[in-house]
Amino acid sequence: MSEDELVYRRTFRAPRELVWRCLTEPAELARFWGPRGMSTPVDGIVVELRPGGRFETLMTGEHGSHRMVAVFTEVVPPERLAWTEPASGMRTTSTLDDLGDGRTEVVIHQRHVPEAMRVPEARAGFLTSLDKLEEHLASLMQGD
């Protein structure tokens, strides 16, 4: 792995199909996308779930906003989702592995990560987004 690559792993207590839905449907993405302290309104999310389709999110917070603009390169429900951000060249691949006991391991592999996103503060912020996803999945599993 090179210095401009990052890998995040997280095991969620939720079936793979539910995790996939949360990663691909705007109404679900709006519930957790972005680091703690940021929100992503559903009207700022575009998901054209096919290779070549757009994937855009607009995160807002007290320190401003950040728009992520990407193009899906791989869509294999409910196993793998990949996109490229043309502005930075960053490539993200998320792999969802059904562990067979109602849990799903998600591995997020990012390549060509800009230096600003590799600093410890940015990496910690990304982890809070995974925390928010874990909380959202838990609430869905409880039927809230």
Side-chain angles (χ1 to χ4, degrees):
M1 197 163 83
S2 66
E3 69 176 28
D4 68 345
E5 290 183 66
L6 296 174
V7 175
Y8 298 92
R9 293 178 185 274
R10 184 71 65 98
T11 299
F12 298 103
R13 294 184 183 281
R16 182 166 66 171
E17 290 74 16
L18 181 59
V19 177
W20 175 265
R21 191 177 92 205
C22 287
L23 293 175
T24 59
E25 293 183 9
E28 302 295 345
L29 286 163
R31 301 286 304 271
F32 73 88
W33 190 265
R36 241 185 248 293
M38 300 284 281
S39 63
T40 305
V42 72
D43 63 357
I45 300 173
V46 175
V47 177
E48 296 173 348
L49 199 56
R50 59 178 166 68
R54 291 178 11 212
F55 180 34
E56 299 180 13
T57 60
L58 176 63
M59 295 178 283
T60 60
E62 64 180 53
H63 300 295
S65 63
H66 173 73
R67 177 174 295 281
M68 192 261 322
V69 177
V71 177
F72 286 113
T73 56
E74 193 175 8
V75 178
V76 184
E79 299 169 18
R80 194 168 35 264
L81 191 62
W83 63 82
T84 298
E85 297 176 42
S88 66
M90 187 165 87
R91 300 172 181 268
T92 300
T93 301
S94 298
T95 305
L96 289 69
D97 186 22
D98 183 346
L99 299 178
D101 58 359
R103 294 180 309 140
T104 303
E105 182 184 50
V106 175
V107 178
I108 301 166
H109 187 176
Q110 297 177 319
R111 294 172 184 87
H112 310 296
V113 180
E115 189 173 348
M117 294 179 65
R118 295 192 314 255
V119 299
E121 297 80 9
R123 294 177 71 178
F126 190 93
L127 291 173
T128 67
S129 182
L130 294 177
D131 294 341
K132 288 166 52 178
L133 172 56
E134 189 168 14
E135 293 159 10
H136 180 55
L137 285 164
S139 72
L140 291 172
M141 294 298 293
Q142 294 170 1
D144 290 351

